[in-house]
Amino acid sequence: MQTIVNLPESLYEKSALVAASRGATVEQLILEAVAKEVQSDLESNIIGTEPDREVNLPVIKSQRPGTLDLSHFDFDDLLA
């Protein structure tokens, strides 16, 4: 399949230098980079891990931090 990708000139020039140093074309370099990225993403999803990203969870502030005892709470009720 053929597609057109617009690269900034400076990125294309750097890509051409890297490709030439490897004895490859820019097209081959791009194909290799995309294949690595796709493979990495597939492996992450298969293994069940996702790339690190910051998650902001809701926080409920307590007037008495550390005093909440959930040892006898039935969490299965939440899932039912």
Side-chain angles (χ1 to χ4, degrees):
M1 175 176 273
Q2 186 173 16
T3 189
I4 296 173
V5 177
N6 293 312
L7 299 176
E9 188 173 339
S10 62
L11 179 58
Y12 180 83
E13 290 171 357
K14 291 174 187 175
S15 300
L17 289 172
V18 171
S21 73
R22 296 181 183 182
T25 64
V26 173
E27 179 181 3
Q28 290 168 327
L29 180 71
I30 292 171
L31 287 172
E32 181 182 321
V34 170
K36 282 182 183 177
E37 187 67 25
V38 168
Q39 184 62 34
S40 173
D41 216 33
L42 289 174
E43 288 172 358
S44 292
N45 289 333
I46 290 171
I47 295 172
T49 60
E50 293 184 18
D52 292 339
R53 63 178 184 218
E54 188 174 325
V55 177
N56 294 319
L57 299 174
V59 176
I60 301 171
K61 297 193 180 206
S62 172
Q63 294 177 357
R64 297 179 295 146
T67 60
L68 182 61
D69 179 13
L70 296 175
S71 59
H72 301 292
F73 186 79
D74 188 4
F75 287 95
D76 290 333
D77 288 342
L78 294 175
L79 303 174

